[in-house]
Amino acid sequence: LHLPIGLLAGLGMVELVAVLRRARGPRPVQAVLAWMAAATALLTAVTGWTLGHEKGWEDSVLQTHMRLGIAVAGTAVLLAVVHHGARDGTRRGPLIAYRVLLLAVLGLLVPAGHLGAEMTHGEGFILAPLRPRSEAPPPAAGAPTFARLIAPIFKERCATCHGGERKKGDLSLD
């Protein structure tokens, strides 16, 4: 899942360095990264499509995420093929097309990854580490500790996948 993201991000960084250095000539690093990213993006799209048929996912978000994932995989494959035509670094047309496709696939990756994170970890997941955590008050004498200490943890960390409409693994914490 995260491997194609890292490979495409790495490919973007390697290409940025090549542009800044005005590098010409063979491009073996970019070729390896492009083909590995294409292969892993295809594998991720196929396994994601299979996983998407489980019960419990919100349909509209899932459909958008799936379409974006398929677009990332298809664009990554096209990127690798076009890079193959530009691999010597001297053919201007294929090199420009490759760089445009690289920007496109990186642009598609952002919303696809965002939706995937929100589906699996809950809404607001990306900014959650920046928000202060609320500390549970100590239990009052004689008060039940589950409602005060345990239930908030389940609600915060588990309910997005195992509560309400979603019951991943047939487990519901409602």
Side-chain angles (χ1 to χ4, degrees), residues 25-108:
R27 307 166 52 80
V29 172
Q30 289 94 325
V32 169
L33 287 174
W35 285 109
M36 286 178 61
T40 58
L42 272 175
L43 181 64
T44 299
V46 169
T47 56
W49 184 81
T50 303
L51 182 64
H53 287 83
E54 285 184 353
K55 294 178 185 176
W57 297 105
E58 184 182 326
D59 195 44
S60 64
V61 174
L62 173 67
Q63 292 302 316
T64 304
H65 176 66
M66 285 174 68
R67 287 184 184 114
L68 285 168
I70 291 167
V72 166
T75 307
V77 170
L78 185 58
L79 170 83
V81 170
V82 169
H83 183 270
H84 184 74
R87 70 176 177 252
D88 63 359
T90 59
R91 298 181 62 206
R92 186 162 171 76
L95 189 59
I96 290 172
Y98 155 76
R99 288 177 175 161
V100 167
L101 284 168
L102 181 57
L103 288 174
V105 76
L106 291 172
L108 288 167

Side-chain angles (χ1 to χ4, degrees), residues 91-169:
R91 298 181 62 206
R92 186 162 171 76
L95 189 59
I96 290 172
Y98 155 76
R99 288 177 175 161
V100 167
L101 284 168
L102 181 57
L103 288 174
V105 76
L106 291 172
L108 288 167
L109 199 58
V110 172
H114 174 73
L115 288 175
E118 292 222 340
M119 283 173 39
T120 56
H121 301 293
E123 195 171 326
F125 166 74
I126 292 182
L127 298 178
L130 302 176
R131 286 188 228 121
R133 287 188 166 224
S134 61
E135 296 292 324
T145 58
F146 179 84
R148 303 189 91 205
L149 298 174
I150 309 297
I153 295 170
F154 280 172
K155 182 178 180 184
E156 180 183 337
R157 299 189 182 250
C158 307
T160 56
C161 294
H162 303 285
E165 296 284 321
R166 282 189 72 197
K167 295 175 181 81
K168 284 204 61 145

Side-chain angles (χ1 to χ4, degrees), residues 6-20 33 102 106:
L7 289 169
L8 288 167
L11 179 58
M13 295 303 292
V14 168
E15 191 59 37
L16 179 62
V17 169
V19 167
L20 293 175
L33 287 174
L102 181 57
L106 291 172

